[in-house]
Amino acid sequence: MTVNTRVLEWTESDLGVAGTLREVVRAPAPVLSTVGDTVDPTSPDVVRLAADLVATMRVSPGCVGLAAPQVGVGAKVFCVDVSAHPKTRDHHGTFVLCNAEVVSGSRNEKAREGCMSVPDFTGDVKRPSRIVVRGQLPGTGEDVELEAEAFEARALQHEIDHCDGLLFLDRAAGAHAVYARKTYL
Amino acid sequence: MGQVTLHAITVLGHDRPGIIAETTGKLAGLGLNLEDSTMTLLRGHFAMMLVCEGDAADSEIESALAPLTADGSLTVTVREVPTEETQAAEGTSWILSVHGGDRPGIVSAVVGVVAGVGGNITDLTTRLAGDLYLLVAEVDLPPAADVAAVERELASVAAELGVGVSLRAAETDEL
Ligand SMILES: [Zn+2]
């Protein structure tokens, strides 16, 4: 796997604005089940949103990603940072993508997912463990394409799903693959 | 808010299309709210359990569901149940799987090990296909449990039965 150094070097300070904390919404909030709007990654609103997402992710314990619909904004913007997670292999540090999509994926793996917006359930979801994702960086709006694997690949797909109005519940691996949450972070 | 009344309902018997639609239709007609439910086929038999909330009396629910049982192919039970407090489990979560040649006592021997350390099973499926017997369970072990010792005891019980056993952590990726 090749790490995209442009994405790796990106940090939220590139945005030039300080993020403010937003409240994380929970299902069944309709915004979580609505396809997010495509955004202009250079617009000041999107830059502010990107900074808010990173700031909110930072203060949420164990949080490795946050998508705009989770703070009540129906837009295709999300942040990810899996660098501190024990399951992470290669990664791209902290970054925000706008209008991202999965270009290709391979090597399906099943894992149990949890989500801050669905605090009472976990669920088994099968997803490719190696993917190529394309999107734009907020601020400059430059197009980037990156390869991701393992935990970062799962986190990216989970957040891109949020931007498409999908929760892990929509991808449950079977009728008995959703579980009542037993332990709380 | 008034007092919440819960009813536990089971529907068992010969499978055919439409049982769930008819059952839930009757319950909706009584203004009952479906809360948790599970349904599967057990050796081809329809098996559903559900808990619903609402003011109807058990006897009223029984009469509403009577058409389902009229031809003798299904059995329905209705019973009012108390509200259970769901306690936040401490401890750790595991997935236990056992498979091997069918023989009497596999389930009781294996889950006996879990019970012996104060473990709690929160979900369980067993299947028999030909001679292959399969058990998959979600297990909570208390914080004090010695997981390595549980694994050793499971392995020893499984060896006696001639089946394979595995205990894997039910890890959740927090995303
Ligand atoms: Zn999520």
Side-chain angles (χ1 to χ4, degrees):
Chain A
M1 194 196 104
T2 331
V3 170
N4 181 323
T5 50
R6 173 67 187 106
V7 179
L8 178 62
E9 283 161 8
W10 190 93
T11 72
E12 65 262 43
S13 59
D14 294 11
L15 292 167
V17 291
T20 55
L21 300 184
R22 303 253 197 149
E23 195 186 332
V24 175
V25 302
R26 294 177 171 190
V31 67
L32 292 169
S33 302
T34 307
V35 179
D37 294 329
T38 301
V39 298
D40 170 2
T42 65
S43 98
D45 282 350
V46 169
V47 170
R48 228 174 354 256
L49 173 62
D52 291 355
L53 286 171
V54 174
T56 308
M57 171 175 73
R58 293 261 187 257
V59 300
S60 310
C63 182
V64 297
L66 200 62
Q70 292 183 275
V71 298
V73 180
K76 290 187 192 292
V77 183
F78 69 83
C79 66
V80 151
D81 181 0
V82 301
S83 57
H85 195 278
K87 278 192 180 175
T88 295
R89 301 224 289 265
D90 286 343
H91 66 84
H92 293 84
T94 307
F95 60 100
V96 177
L97 286 183
C98 304
N99 310 315
E101 53 185 6
V102 177
V103 181
S104 64
S106 61
R107 298 198 191 178
N108 273 338
E109 279 175 13
K110 194 159 85 175
R112 196 165 291 188
E113 296 188 7
C115 175
M116 280 168 70
S117 296
V118 189
D120 294 327
F121 295 111
T122 63
D124 294 334
V125 179
K126 204 190 257 186
R127 301 185 189 273
S129 62
R130 290 187 160 211
I131 55 168
V132 175
V133 167
R134 191 183 291 153
Q136 290 122 32
L137 295 174
T140 62
E142 65 200 281
D143 286 306
V144 289
E145 189 170 279
L146 63 101
E147 288 175 53
E149 64 175 14
F151 190 69
E152 186 176 59
R154 182 163 291 269
L156 281 167
Q157 291 170 90
H158 181 103
E159 303 311 332
I160 291 171
D161 270 358
H162 272 305
C163 295
D164 289 333
L166 295 172
L167 297 173
F168 72 84
L169 301 174
D170 296 298
R171 295 201 189 272
H176 291 102
V178 173
Y179 310 87
R181 167 89 72 171
K182 292 159 194 161
T183 46
Y184 290 85
L185 283 174
Chain B
M1 280 286 284
Q3 183 107 14
V4 170
T5 309
L6 295 178
H7 311 268
I9 299 172
T10 67
V11 182
L12 296 169
H14 176 69
D15 188 38
R16 61 173 169 77
I19 300 173
I20 300 175
E22 283 169 51
T23 307
T24 54
K26 303 288 187 197
L27 299 177
L30 290 172
L32 294 166
N33 211 4
L34 228 65
E35 298 198 340
D36 289 2
S37 70
T38 188
M39 178 265 147
T40 192
L41 293 175
L42 300 176
R43 289 217 97 56
H45 296 271
F46 179 93
M48 179 163 71
M49 298 177 282
L50 60 90
V51 171
C52 60
E53 185 273 318
D55 284 334
D58 284 353
S59 56
E60 265 181 275
I61 302 173
E62 279 166 1
S63 344
L65 297 177
L68 283 158
T69 65
D71 69 356
S73 69
L74 289 169
T75 318
V76 172
T77 67
V78 181
R79 189 165 70 90
E80 194 177 318
V81 290
T83 305
E84 295 278 346
E85 286 302 322
T86 45
Q87 62 273 48
E90 292 289 294
T92 51
S93 297
W94 303 83
I95 301 165
L96 171 68
S97 27
V98 178
H99 55 85
D102 182 32
R103 52 166 290 173
I106 295 177
V107 179
S108 61
V110 170
V111 302
V113 174
V114 174
V117 295
N120 194 33
I121 293 176
T122 58
D123 215 319
L124 170 86
T125 294
T126 71
R127 297 283 169 187
L128 175 64
D131 188 44
L132 175 63
Y133 197 81
L134 165 73
L135 174 155
V136 183
E138 299 273 329
V139 176
D140 286 352
L141 292 178
D146 176 348
V147 176
V150 172
E151 280 178 318
R152 278 196 303 276
E153 203 182 335
L154 284 170
S156 125
V157 165
E160 276 170 42
L161 293 161
V163 299
V165 63
S166 71
L167 188 68
R168 286 176 295 123
E171 290 175 355
T172 297
D173 290 345
E174 303 298 341
L175 300 170

